[in-house]
Amino acid sequence: MAEAQKTVNGKLKVPEFLREPLVAAQARIGHIEEEAQRVIKDLVVRGRAGRKDIEEIVHRLSRQDFSMPEVKQRLEKLRDQGAERAAEWRGRADSFRSEALERMLELQSRAVQFLGVATHEEVQELSRELEKLAKRFEKKGARRVKRAKSPEGT
């Protein structure tokens, strides 16, 4: 592990046996980033299309002469449609975010498993077991000291 701490020209020196899994993990992360960029570009294109729809509606409204109740009714309809679209896009964005987070966590756990590094939970469990053993040894050591000091032990 000390070898992984050394740096060369400001870069972390990685042991040979870790390079291939590290390169594979970086490639997977790159693929996830590319996919995320495609989704974001698609969202931008769809957003621009929605903006063009609104511009077209505003243009039609500006050409026509409407009464005040009619304008109010149309604006309410547009507001409702906008709220529906916003809820739909919010749901899609949330699902994309949660899916990306799940993928990253899965990738992280795979990397940890592959490298053979203990997880946080495993380290905590090991620590608890060591504390139990230490208490046992302390009790046994105290009993031996008592036996050694008692007149029966001599």
Side-chain angles (χ1 to χ4, degrees):
M1 240 9 207
E3 189 177 326
Q5 299 296 328
K6 296 178 185 175
T7 60
V8 177
N9 296 332
K11 293 185 178 181
L12 186 64
K13 183 176 179 184
V14 179
E16 279 298 318
F17 71 95
L18 291 178
R19 282 201 181 133
E20 186 176 317
L22 186 60
V23 169
Q26 287 174 337
R28 287 186 202 124
I29 289 172
H31 178 68
I32 290 171
E33 286 177 347
E34 289 172 3
E35 188 175 324
Q37 287 178 354
R38 279 196 305 269
V39 169
I40 289 172
K41 285 179 183 177
D42 185 44
L43 290 174
V44 168
V45 167
R46 290 182 182 182
R48 287 181 181 155
R51 188 182 73 206
K52 287 180 183 178
D53 291 344
I54 291 173
E55 288 175 356
E56 182 182 313
I57 291 170
V58 168
H59 182 67
R60 276 191 287 148
L61 286 174
S62 66
R63 288 188 313 199
Q64 298 174 357
D65 188 25
F66 294 108
S67 65
M68 194 56 134
E70 194 175 344
V71 169
K72 184 178 177 183
Q73 180 185 9
R74 286 182 182 252
L75 286 175
E76 288 174 359
K77 182 180 177 182
L78 286 173
R79 184 187 67 212
D80 294 341
Q81 288 176 348
E84 288 175 16
R85 284 186 179 174
E88 178 184 327
W89 286 108
R90 187 177 302 115
R92 287 183 181 181
D94 286 342
S95 66
F96 175 75
R97 181 191 56 79
S98 63
E99 183 180 322
L101 182 61
E102 287 176 15
R103 286 184 180 181
M104 289 301 292
L105 290 175
E106 180 182 330
L107 180 61
Q108 181 183 14
S109 66
R110 283 184 185 173
V112 166
Q113 274 182 330
F114 181 79
L115 296 174
V117 178
T119 64
H120 183 68
E121 292 80 18
E122 291 172 335
V123 171
Q124 285 180 335
E125 180 65 27
L126 183 59
S127 176
R128 283 190 289 259
E129 292 296 324
L130 287 174
E131 286 176 12
K132 287 179 185 177
L133 288 172
K135 287 178 184 178
R136 283 186 188 172
F137 284 126
E138 287 174 5
K139 287 179 183 178
K140 287 184 179 183
R143 285 186 212 151
R144 287 183 181 161
V145 169
K146 281 185 181 179
R147 288 182 192 161
K149 288 183 178 180
S150 69
E152 296 172 6
T154 55

